[in-house]
């Protein structure tokens, strides 16, 4: 359910009987509105009750808001400068893809962007001083945007989130749709730059995007979240084999589809950037890390030299340590976090 604070901004009062206090809107003083510090002891960890696990462990949550932006508005959301806002998290690779496309297309003044705080508790993503306030509605919690769109929203609170200022609703929280729409719908305002979805390559890009999602982007989560030893071994091998195949693919080309960056490169890179600091040590995927794949490692560093990739990257937000023990009893190989030289 929602209510309206004195500021006139609809804000969340939280799911009924949840016991979790959430945002009360901007303070009357006009000062920026910030959430209280993340507090696992009070609110619990993020996940239980919002992110379900399947029988075999990890299960990708639902992303229920699937509006699309189109140049002509036929989808119900017309591409217009100043109308849409992106909320992202520095640690979130799914959100980084949208931030990269926004900059590659020169849309910084067309679609605004701000970041949530790096730390989460049971309340989900929040706005705190380190990353700045919410500049759109003065929300303290990203949950408030979800509640404004669907009162009592019970699901996963994810980034990126694409918000429509005109309707005061979330357009989409599906990272793939957001990335694709930023690639194509705002060309009237885009700066000269790479065509990330050239018409002759779109079917090949879509096929490659699906391969990357199944075997790399989501694959690393399946390794970490495997509920059985067999599931872990199968998922681990699948990711390692995909990295080997991509390494071989890049032996004779600069980018995944040739000499120009396309959407598939944007979708792969955030996983590579986080691999040695997060996914590999936490999941126990492959010894040697990214440097064990020399062509893939050179490719990742080449992309990092581009401002759109480099400026949306904060390696300090990615570091994670392996869990001390796993309650499910699944044995993972030991891999230490590695600080790579990206120069």
């Amino acid at each position: 359910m929602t209510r309206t604070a004195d500021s006139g901004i609809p804000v969340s009062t939280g799911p009924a009987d949840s016991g979790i206090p959430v945002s009360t809107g901007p303070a009357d003083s006009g000062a920026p509105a910030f959430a209280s510090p993340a507090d696992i002891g009070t609110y619990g960890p993020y996940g239980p009750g919002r992110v379900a696990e399947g029988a075999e462990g990890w299960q990708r949550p639902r992303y229920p808001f699937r509006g699309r932006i189109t140049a002509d508005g036929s989808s119900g959301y017309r591409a217009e400068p100043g109308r849409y806002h992106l909320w992202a998290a520095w640690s979130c690779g799914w959100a980084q893809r949208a931030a990269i496309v926004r900059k590659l297309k020169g849309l910084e003044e067309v679609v605004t962007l701000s970041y949530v705080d790096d730390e989460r508790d049971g309340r989900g993503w929040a706005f705190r001083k380190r990353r700045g306030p919410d500049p759109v509605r003065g929300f303290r919690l990203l949950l408030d945007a979800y509640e404004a769109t669907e009162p009592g929203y019970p699901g996963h609170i994810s980034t990126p989130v694409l918000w429509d200022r005109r309707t005061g609703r979330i357009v989409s929280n599906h990272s793939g749709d957001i990335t694709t729409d930023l690639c194509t719908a705002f060309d009237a305002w885009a700066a000269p730059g790479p065509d990330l979805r050239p018409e002759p390559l779109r079917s090949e890009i879509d096929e490659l995007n699906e391969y990357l999602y199944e075997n790399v982007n989501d694959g690393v989560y399946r390794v970490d979240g495997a509920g059985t030893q067999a599931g872990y071994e199968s998922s681990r091998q699948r990711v390692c084999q995909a990295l080997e195949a991509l390494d071989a693919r890049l032996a004779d080309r600069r980018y995944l589809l040739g000499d120009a960056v396309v959407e598939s490169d944007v979708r792969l890179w955030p996983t590579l950037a986080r691999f040695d600091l997060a996914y590999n040590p936490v999941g126990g995927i492959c010894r040697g890390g990214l440097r064990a794949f020399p062509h893939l490692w050179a490719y990742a560093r080449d992309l990092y030299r581009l401002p759109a990739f480099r400026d949306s990257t904060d390696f300090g937000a990615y570091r994670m340590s392996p869990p001390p023990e796993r309650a499910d009893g699944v044995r993972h190989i030991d891999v230490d976090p590695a600080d790579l030289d990206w120069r």
Side-chain angles (χ1 to χ4, degrees):
M1 57 190 296
T2 60
R3 64 181 176 83
T4 302
D6 293 340
S7 64
I9 296 176
V11 294
S12 169
T13 57
D17 300 324
S18 67
I20 296 178
V22 289
S23 174
T24 57
D28 293 339
S29 65
F34 293 118
S36 60
D39 185 346
I40 301 295
T42 299
Y43 303 110
Y46 181 75
R50 289 195 179 272
V51 180
E53 289 192 351
E56 290 297 318
W58 169 251
Q59 179 175 295
R60 174 62 52 188
R62 286 182 60 245
Y63 299 94
F65 303 111
R66 297 292 299 269
R68 303 299 298 268
I69 310 293
T70 51
D72 62 4
S74 58
S75 63
Y77 293 101
R78 183 187 299 275
E80 300 174 31
R83 178 173 174 177
Y84 301 102
H85 182 80
L86 272 170
W87 286 302
W90 283 99
S91 60
C92 176
W94 309 97
Q96 187 179 14
R97 302 193 291 186
I100 291 171
V101 171
R102 174 178 173 268
K103 185 148 189 168
L104 283 173
K105 299 289 288 185
L107 299 175
E108 293 96 324
E109 303 301 321
V110 178
V111 178
T112 54
L113 169 70
S114 64
Y115 286 89
V116 295
D117 187 58
D118 297 2
E119 297 185 7
R120 283 188 293 180
D121 54 27
R123 298 171 293 177
W125 296 113
F127 299 94
R128 299 188 180 93
K129 188 173 182 179
R130 181 185 180 193
R131 298 301 190 184
D134 166 35
V136 182
R137 297 291 295 267
F139 292 140
R140 286 189 171 95
L141 300 175
L142 191 57
L143 172 60
D144 293 336
Y146 281 80
E147 288 271 359
T149 306
E150 181 184 316
Y153 175 75
H156 181 37
I157 307 164
S158 63
T159 63
V161 172
L162 184 64
W163 176 264
D164 179 14
R165 287 182 171 91
R166 179 171 298 172
T167 61
R169 297 174 56 85
I170 293 173
V171 177
S172 178
N173 71 332
H174 187 277
S175 64
D177 291 349
I178 293 172
T179 300
T180 297
D181 292 350
L182 290 174
C183 286
T184 58
F186 293 89
D187 284 348
W189 301 277
D195 183 353
L196 299 174
R197 287 183 59 84
E199 190 67 43
L201 296 178
R202 287 191 179 180
S203 61
E204 189 173 358
I205 288 170
D206 290 339
E207 182 179 353
L208 184 53
N209 287 350
E210 183 64 23
Y211 174 85
L212 294 173
Y213 173 81
E214 290 293 332
N215 295 281
V216 182
N217 301 139
D218 196 54
V220 295
Y221 290 88
R222 294 185 198 137
V223 177
D224 177 43
T228 65
Q229 194 67 41
Y232 162 71
E233 296 293 349
S234 175
S235 299
R236 186 175 80 83
Q237 289 300 320
R238 186 173 184 177
V239 174
C240 292
Q241 290 168 5
L243 295 178
E244 290 172 357
L246 292 167
D247 189 64
R249 182 188 188 99
L250 291 161
D252 62 354
R253 64 186 74 190
R254 184 175 183 182
Y255 303 121
L256 289 175
L257 289 180
D259 294 328
V261 174
V262 296
E263 185 185 20
S264 301
D265 297 292
V266 174
R267 293 197 179 202
L268 173 60
W269 194 83
T271 303
L272 303 182
R274 290 159 177 77
F275 192 74
D276 283 86
L277 288 173
Y279 298 132
N280 200 23
V282 171
I285 300 170
C286 64
R287 294 184 175 91
L290 193 55
R291 287 171 294 187
F293 308 95
H295 303 298
L296 191 59
W297 171 223
Y299 157 85
R301 296 199 312 278
D302 190 20
L303 286 173
Y304 182 64
R305 296 185 184 102
L306 301 177
F309 291 81
R310 185 177 62 250
D311 295 348
S312 63
T313 297
D314 181 354
F315 290 115
Y318 306 160
R319 178 181 287 275
M320 297 177 66
S321 298
E325 60 183 45
R326 294 180 180 271
D328 55 21
V330 178
R331 301 182 306 278
H332 292 234
I333 63 172
D334 292 329
V335 180
D336 293 327
D339 288 296
L340 304 184
D341 185 355
W342 286 84
R343 293 174 295 178

